[in-house]
Every structure is written in C-alpha cells, then in structure tokens.
Amino acid sequence: MNSSPTEADNPNDGRLIVAITSRALFDLAESHALFEEAGLDAFREHQTQREDEPLAPGIAFPLVRKLLRLNPPKPAPARVEVILLSRNSADTGLRIFNSIEHYGLDIARAAFTSGAPTAPYVRSFGAQLFLSANPDSVTGALDAGIAAATILPSKAPSLSSDQLRIAFDGDAVIFGDESERVSQEQGIDAFHRNEVERADQPLSGGPFRGFLAALHKLQEAFPAETSPIRTALVTARSAPAHKRVILTLRHWGVRLDEALFLGGRDKGPFLETFGADIFFDDSTHNVESARRHVATGHVPHGVRNR
C-alpha cells in the first residue's frame, strides 16, 4: 500500500480535514434497508417525503460534533473541517443537509455522487481521515494512502467527557505491520525477540501515521494542561515490546497522552474507562470487543486482513 499522503497532496492550509459518509454521520439504517429491498424509486420517495424530518445521529455523530467544537469563533480560520460524502443524489440528499442544519453542524462542503463511489473525492478534498460504513470504500481510500476506517455498529461510552478522545491500536494502524507479521508467521516468542533486537530501530509508519501527526499538530494549538484533545495508544503489546513503540514515537516527535500495554487483554473495558469517542484497530477480534463499549472503526490493513 502507498504511504500516507504528503502535505503537497493535501492543500489544507494546516487544517485537520475529515471526510465522512452520511451513513457514518447519521442513522440511515431504515432508508438504506428500504433501498436494498425496494429499489431506488422507493428510496427517493421515502427521503423526499421526510426531508424535513431530521435524521437521528449516527455512530460517528458525537465525534464530528466534538471535532467541530475545536474551531474558534468566526471569522477566525477554522482548525478542523468536516466534509460530507454521500452516494445520494443532491435531490435525495436534501434531507441530510437539512439534518446538518437542524443539529447546527458547521459542514459546508459535500459531494453527492448518485450511486458512484465517494472514496475518490477524499483526496480531492485534502482529507487526512475518511470514515465510512462501506468497507470497499475504506479499502479504496487506504490503497490511496489515506487513513480510513469502517465505522461499525457500536455502543456509546458510558463515561462521557467534553474532551475529544481518540484511541489507536499500534501495529498496522499507527505503525507498519512488519512486527505483526513476525508474530503471525513465527509466534509470540519470535515477536518479542525481534522487538528487543530492534528496539532502537524506529518502526515504519502505518496508514494512520499522517492523521496522528495532524492531530498532534492540532493539539499544539492548545495549552497541554487544558487541551480539549486527548489521545491514547491501546495495544496488545507488553514488556519488553513496549520500548520500541515509545522510542518510535519519540523519533517521530509525536505525543500520545496515554499508552496502555495490555498484553493480550480485551481492549473494550479499557477503552470505556478512557472514554474514547472512537477507537481504530486492524484486528476484527479487537474491534468486536471494542464496539461493545465505544464507537469503533475497523482498519482493514496489514497481515491480519490479507
């Protein structure tokens, strides 16, 4: 897969840009099921008849609301921009924009593709992160070198915070999957030997390295002691494999506020304690545990997903 897009590929003027599909932002389960069962005409009629009825918030709605709250009052330049991508037509998508207005979300840019794939527009908008309910769209974005995740049906965390709280898995998400390949192919003992022997060699960057760097840059706009953003690494690694992770992040000059080395424990309860607004992981086993506790995005990247 390609490396993360460079700044030249992302003309975003230093903003954090997140592209999100309408099915991740709003609860479109009923209308999507109608489309699958009865076809486009029934879907179009359903949406136009209800275009003044606000859609219910979807899994990623709280995340988007917190992201947009990071912006200073206008006319100061925005720190964060959220782009809406939808396979609706502009006509059937009017209900989506009406819902955005109803909830007071500052989302002005959008692409309505009338059934065509939305992922190609992610790079055009300069987004560093793409969230979708469509796994194929997510895979296409990852192949293009953009951090992307499939938003899964999930439970909202019981512990809420005014802070934006984002948690990441390490290998095959923030980092490359070279160490995970050793674990999968040669076993856990070989993995630990590999990490001890290469502790001073930084890990390669994974698909979310660029997004993490952009998030870190955004954090630097706020005092550390009162930052509205908090990040966490939540990894199955444990000692002695922790050292290489810490030294890699130091080498990159990136700060993570919390690091949980769980040694294979289920991640869900720890993510709930952290109060994650979203958690990103490549492992289907881990996301199944996580989504029972917090909003979760599956990153179909690396050796576990081949």
Side-chain angles (χ1 to χ4, degrees):
M1 292 188 179
N2 297 330
S3 61
S4 297
T6 65
E7 188 170 339
D9 294 322
N10 283 308
N12 52 28
D13 299 324
R15 289 168 294 151
L16 176 66
I17 299 180
V18 176
I20 185 167
T21 61
S22 52
R23 282 206 292 145
L25 181 59
F26 294 115
D27 183 356
L28 286 162
E30 179 185 1
S31 55
H32 183 70
L34 179 65
F35 171 75
E36 294 285 338
E37 295 169 5
L40 180 59
D41 288 340
F43 171 80
R44 182 183 296 115
E45 182 179 359
H46 175 86
Q47 293 296 74
T48 54
Q49 287 181 349
R50 292 166 175 78
E51 63 187 26
D52 292 325
E53 297 178 13
L55 292 159
I59 300 300
F61 184 94
L63 170 71
V64 167
R65 174 168 273 175
K66 285 188 178 183
L67 281 166
L68 292 172
R69 284 176 178 168
L70 296 173
N71 286 326
K74 293 181 178 180
R79 299 186 180 105
V80 178
E81 182 175 10
V82 175
I83 308 293
L84 178 78
L85 303 179
S86 175
R87 289 195 176 203
N88 282 269
S89 66
D91 183 52
T92 58
L94 183 58
R95 187 182 183 191
I96 296 169
F97 254 130
N98 286 345
S99 299
I100 288 171
E101 183 178 0
H102 170 79
Y103 291 109
L105 301 178
D106 186 13
I107 298 175
R109 291 190 172 98
F112 292 94
T113 65
S114 297
T118 58
Y121 288 104
V122 177
R123 183 180 289 280
S124 301
F125 279 114
Q128 297 105 327
L129 176 66
F130 174 52
L131 303 177
S132 173
N134 186 316
D136 292 335
S137 297
V138 168
T139 299
L142 286 168
D143 287 343
I146 298 163
T150 307
I151 298 298
L152 303 173
S154 310
K155 178 185 174 183
S158 58
L159 301 174
S160 60
S161 167
D162 290 336
Q163 280 184 316
L164 171 65
R165 296 193 167 211
I166 299 180
F168 304 87
D169 180 38
D171 296 294
V173 177
I174 295 176
F175 311 117
D177 73 337
E178 62 267 27
S179 296
E180 198 161 85
R181 286 200 304 270
V182 173
S183 177
Q184 293 288 311
E185 295 167 6
Q186 301 178 42
I188 191 66
D189 290 338
F191 165 79
H192 282 299
R193 285 196 303 272
N194 181 76
E195 297 309 284
V196 170
E197 292 169 1
R198 292 169 171 78
D200 295 328
Q201 300 176 19
L203 290 155
S204 66
F208 274 67
R209 179 181 175 179
F211 172 64
L212 178 62
L215 193 62
H216 175 73
K217 184 176 180 180
L218 182 60
Q219 278 183 297
E220 291 182 326
F222 304 96
E225 61 274 10
T226 58
S227 176
I229 305 168
R230 192 164 183 84
T231 55
L233 172 70
V234 183
T235 174
R237 285 179 179 243
S238 59
H242 68 296
K243 183 177 180 180
R244 193 177 187 192
V245 166
I246 294 168
L247 293 179
T248 296
L249 293 171
R250 185 182 298 171
H251 175 75
W252 290 353
V254 171
R255 182 186 93 225
L256 281 162
D257 297 298
E258 299 189 23
L260 306 180
F261 297 96
L262 301 182
R265 293 281 299 273
D266 279 350
K267 296 181 178 182
F270 296 91
L271 291 162
E272 186 170 6
T273 299
F274 174 67
D277 291 297
I278 194 163
F279 170 61
F280 298 108
D281 200 304
D282 67 302
S283 163
T284 54
H285 170 76
N286 288 337
V287 298
E288 283 302 313
S289 169
R291 74 189 187 97
R292 294 196 294 269
H293 300 267
V294 299
T296 302
H298 177 232
V299 182
H301 173 74
V303 65
R304 288 178 181 267
N305 292 284
R306 292 176 184 167

